Amino acid sequence: MMLLDPFRCFLLGAVLLSPAFGAPSYPISSKSMEKIGDCIDYQIPVTTRTEALVWDLPKFSNNFDVSAFILSLIRRTTGPDVIPFNPFSGSKNVTREYKIGATFCSPKNSSKGGHEETFLLATHGLGYDRRYWIPAVNTSEYSFAEYAVSKGYSIFMYDRVGTGKSSRVSGYNESQISTHLAILTSLTNSLKSGQYTGTVGKPSKIVHVGHSFGSILTHSLVQQDPSLSDGIILTDTGYNQSDFPAIFEGGRLNIANSVSPTKYLGLNSGYLAFADIYGNSGTFFNPAHFDPDALWYTQHIAQPLAAIELLPGASGPPGATNFTGPVLLLTGEYDFNCAGNCNGILEHPAREIFRKSKAFQAAVHPKSGHGINFNPNATGAFGVMTDFLSQSGF
């Protein structure tokens, strides 16, 4: 497909910029979802107490600073004269209060004892908010939430702090993995107690579902406390990251406020965004096989990422876990995590990392880039996910 058909871009751009589309609700409820499910939006108060890393670099004053930062991130770190890149001065204990935007959807007129008591707690990745799971474009093809509810499952989606309708924070300090993990832990415990679940009440099972950075958080959750989850689905990630710098090279990241001062109002220079639609395309799509309408929609809903979220030192290496629940690893064939070809290398070392899992499955989704939910045949990937749930007894 051609990326930029001028007339198509003009029409779609007019839609995206119209007042009705320019200020969408969260989530954007589709007629098809309203027929099969009940959705409730929440603003959830969360208090976190974490040991946070302290940023020790000058704050970005322009996009040349961002370029220098990214060069430091992707620079080869081996060799006798190479000084490892360390942007932190130490850590400190931090207590913070946040508001987290979230949505819970369950099957309409569901009866107790069915799949609706299995909650899918979905965490989006960098560059998105919860609309990654419940988009407004071609929902029969790209809405995982709608697909999951149609199969009888309940789903809880939220905006990670710094995105969507959640609290705005510093891109240099607060929006780091310790904060995100504390919030995810708090939300998990709230769901376990039956809060923010509409009329469904307490779950029988909680399955954590992640996309990209959300998968890293999901891994960290069960690594920290395996008892919090009954099963996990990790999408668009990998443990054999032979060319991870590709995300920095392909993303064309600029200071978010320099890309769109109005869209990213209230965020400091520590938040970065795609400089243009080509950075978005290069990060999340397979250039030879994609839907232009989906690409333009994701450009409209794109969310900035925090500089501190890109730092390996802020997340730590993914170690082996004691998690015994079922694990599904599902990644696009052309994902940059595998240097653009995940065939034959996805299963290991992931299987060894989750060696205590009672059921492990690694699957490559054909023709897909890094953002499976918006790539063609997304419903095929959704089917793999719900089949895995069913086969695992959920």
Side-chain angles (χ1 to χ4, degrees), residues 121-187:
L121 201 173
T123 305
H124 63 85
L126 303 181
Y128 290 104
D129 56 23
R130 83 186 99 148
R131 287 173 291 179
Y132 179 77
W133 307 109
I134 188 167
V137 62
N138 200 351
T139 59
S140 64
E141 294 294 325
Y142 301 124
S143 177
F144 175 69
E146 190 169 306
Y147 189 95
V149 169
S150 75
K151 298 298 182 180
Y153 295 97
S154 297
I155 182 168
F156 179 92
M157 306 152 283
Y158 70 101
D159 296 332
R160 287 187 301 98
V161 70
T163 70
K165 294 296 184 180
S166 290
S167 297
R168 292 290 197 251
V169 297
S170 169
Y172 296 109
N173 292 303
E174 293 177 81
S175 191
Q176 58 181 278
I177 198 165
S178 59
T179 303
H180 293 305
L181 184 56
I183 291 171
L184 177 56
T185 300
S186 177
L187 293 175

Side-chain angles (χ1 to χ4, degrees), residues 10-92:
F10 172 79
L11 291 178
L12 187 57
V15 173
L16 296 180
L17 292 174
S18 69
F21 207 98
S25 60
Y26 285 67
I28 301 171
S29 182
S30 65
K31 290 184 178 179
S32 50
M33 175 62 96
E34 291 174 356
K35 291 179 180 179
I36 63 172
D38 296 314
C39 295
I40 307 172
D41 292 348
Y42 295 100
Q43 283 294 120
I44 301 174
V46 174
T47 300
T48 64
R49 296 173 180 84
T50 64
E51 182 177 357
L53 294 168
V54 178
W55 180 277
D56 194 38
L57 295 177
K59 295 180 179 180
F60 307 141
S61 59
N62 54 52
N63 288 317
F64 292 109
D65 292 342
V66 176
S67 297
F69 171 72
I70 291 175
L71 178 60
S72 297
L73 286 178
I74 66 177
R75 187 181 60 203
R76 184 171 59 88
T77 57
T78 57
D81 300 323
V82 177
I83 299 175
F85 179 54
N86 179 18
F88 305 114
S89 61
S91 62
K92 63 179 181 180

